[in-house]
Amino acid sequence: MDFKKDFASILYEVLDGKLDQDKLTLMIEKPRFEEMGDLAFPCFELAKLLRKSPHSIAADIAAEIKSPLFEKVEAVSGYVNVFLNKHKVSFLVLKEVLTLKEHYGDLDLGKNQVITVDFSSPNIAKPFSMGHLRSTVIGNALALIAEKYGYPSVRINHLGDWGTQFGKLIVAYKKWGKEETVKQQPIKELLKLYVKFHDEAEKDPSLNDEGRGWFKKLEENDDEAMKLWEWFREESLKEFSRIYKLMGIEFDSFQPSTMTRWIKWSTYLKT
Ligand SMILES: NC(=[NH2+])NCCC[C@H](N)C(=O)O
């Protein structure tokens, strides 16, 4: 529904085709104040062409417009101000919404160029924060807007799942963790273990070395270290997925931070 275009075609008739419809559409303005109508047509440019004052041109045009689309047409200071017929306009808009359904408002600006949106990105083994929630809502809204505009979007969740803290978490789990408790409430339990690690490391700083040692093992793809890390990741993802499901959001990839490590490796290999 493009009421500017409709107004332009009405003006085209009234002006006997003196200006073409595209030009008229471009000239139509949206008044700054509601009381000046929904659309306005300035008549200043026509003054030269018609050899009349903008005031009288506006008055002439206003007198000639008779369209059920408008409930009021006024000539004010060289402008033709039109007020859309709310009843008719709401009927037309709702009819279009109901016909086009989810395609209402679709645009093809993107011409199928893909847009990637990297958002949410929580850290595994830690609670999902307000900041993550905000990023999730904003990122998904941007992806939806992009899609509406004809850009297929790829939603990437760049998980925070790599770093020394996972060496520490492995140490904590091996010392004080239980498989069952982690499975029951993964984030809560893993966070508890991580906090305990820090409390204990204050008393016994050698734990930090152990943590670094296990992270080194992770970096070297050690079997036991990788199995535990993958499990923490999987359990955390289960919990995050519950939140995403509640919000009706799906991701195309849960790209691991480890990806950066692989990319680094492959560049080393190439050089
Ligand atoms: N590529 C990204 N999305 N990076 C942002 C990572 C955010 C980080 N995981 C955090 O929770 O603070």
Side-chain angles (χ1 to χ4, degrees):
M1 204 75 3
D2 189 342
F3 298 116
K4 249 190 190 181
K5 271 204 177 134
D6 294 335
F7 186 23
S9 84
I10 292 168
L11 287 166
Y12 182 77
E13 298 284 320
V14 171
L15 292 167
D16 294 325
K18 288 197 182 67
L19 289 177
D20 72 52
Q21 288 204 33
D22 289 341
K23 165 89 181 148
L24 288 168
T25 312
L26 285 176
M27 286 170 77
I28 294 170
E29 298 173 6
K30 186 146 183 24
R32 236 185 306 159
F33 304 105
E34 220 176 286
E35 53 279 13
M36 292 172 159
D38 298 298
L39 296 170
F41 178 68
C43 299
F44 308 98
E45 265 191 68
L46 281 171
K48 253 195 201 157
L49 189 73
L50 303 180
R51 293 171 194 282
K52 272 202 237 167
S53 77
H55 284 66
S56 60
I57 298 172
D60 291 350
I61 296 177
E64 272 205 52
I65 293 178
K66 279 172 193 57
S67 163
L69 191 60
F70 307 130
E71 61 191 16
K72 195 163 72 169
V73 180
E74 279 178 352
V76 180
S77 322
Y79 282 88
V80 180
N81 294 341
V82 295
F83 298 75
L84 292 169
N85 178 332
K86 308 278 182 304
H87 191 77
K88 185 153 183 76
V89 165
S90 9
F91 174 80
L92 291 172
V93 171
L94 288 176
K95 196 170 144 199
E96 195 174 329
V97 171
L98 294 174
T99 320
L100 295 177
K101 298 199 172 78
E102 69 274 20
H103 291 297
Y104 177 76
D106 276 2
L107 281 181
D108 189 27
L109 287 179
K111 313 231 173 302
N112 278 332
Q113 297 176 88
V114 177
I115 284 186
T116 50
V117 190
D118 167 343
F119 65 105
S120 197
S121 313
N123 305 311
I124 66 164
K126 281 207 182 142
F128 198 93
S129 71
M130 265 314 283
H132 297 123
L133 189 62
R134 183 182 58 177
S135 163
T136 311
V137 171
I138 295 175
N140 194 55
L142 289 176
L144 287 172
I145 292 169
E147 280 159 10
K148 198 84 191 141
Y149 277 27
Y151 297 88
S153 61
V154 175
R155 292 164 169 77
I156 294 177
N157 195 329
H158 191 97
L159 285 181
D161 62 2
W162 201 248
T164 5
Q165 67 269 38
F166 298 106
K168 294 178 180 175
L169 192 59
I170 291 176
V171 173
Y173 175 74
K174 283 171 73 73
K175 285 192 191 298
W176 313 294
K178 276 203 198 81
E179 187 175 337
E180 260 327 289
T181 10
V182 171
K183 275 196 172 152
Q184 272 159 17
Q185 285 184 301
I187 308 279
K188 199 169 164 210
E189 200 51 33
L190 292 173
L191 181 69
K192 227 196 237 169
L193 287 170
Y194 190 63
V195 171
K196 185 167 170 72
F197 179 92
H198 282 274
D199 291 345
E200 297 293 328
E202 293 232 333
K203 294 175 243 159
D204 175 9
S206 76
L207 280 174
N208 286 319
D209 296 328
E210 265 189 72
R212 273 190 285 274
W214 275 95
F215 181 58
K216 188 160 177 283
K217 285 190 182 195
L218 271 177
E219 295 256 62
E220 288 161 352
N221 265 330
D222 170 88
D223 217 36
E224 186 186 0
M226 282 309 278
K227 274 214 176 88
L228 281 171
W229 172 82
E230 265 161 24
W231 179 54
F232 296 155
R233 190 176 188 276
E234 215 172 276
E235 293 294 337
S236 307
L237 260 181
K238 264 189 218 161
E239 196 137 321
F240 297 151
S241 301
R242 196 178 52 83
I243 300 172
Y244 297 138
K245 203 166 167 195
L246 273 174
M247 299 174 79
I249 296 176
E250 281 179 24
F251 286 90
D252 297 291
S253 116
F254 284 90
Q255 186 168 352
S257 294
T258 37
M259 192 70 101
T260 336
R261 187 169 56 120
W262 295 329
I263 293 164
K264 246 192 245 162
W265 280 356
S266 56
T267 34
Y268 287 148
L269 289 176
K270 270 185 222 145
T271 50

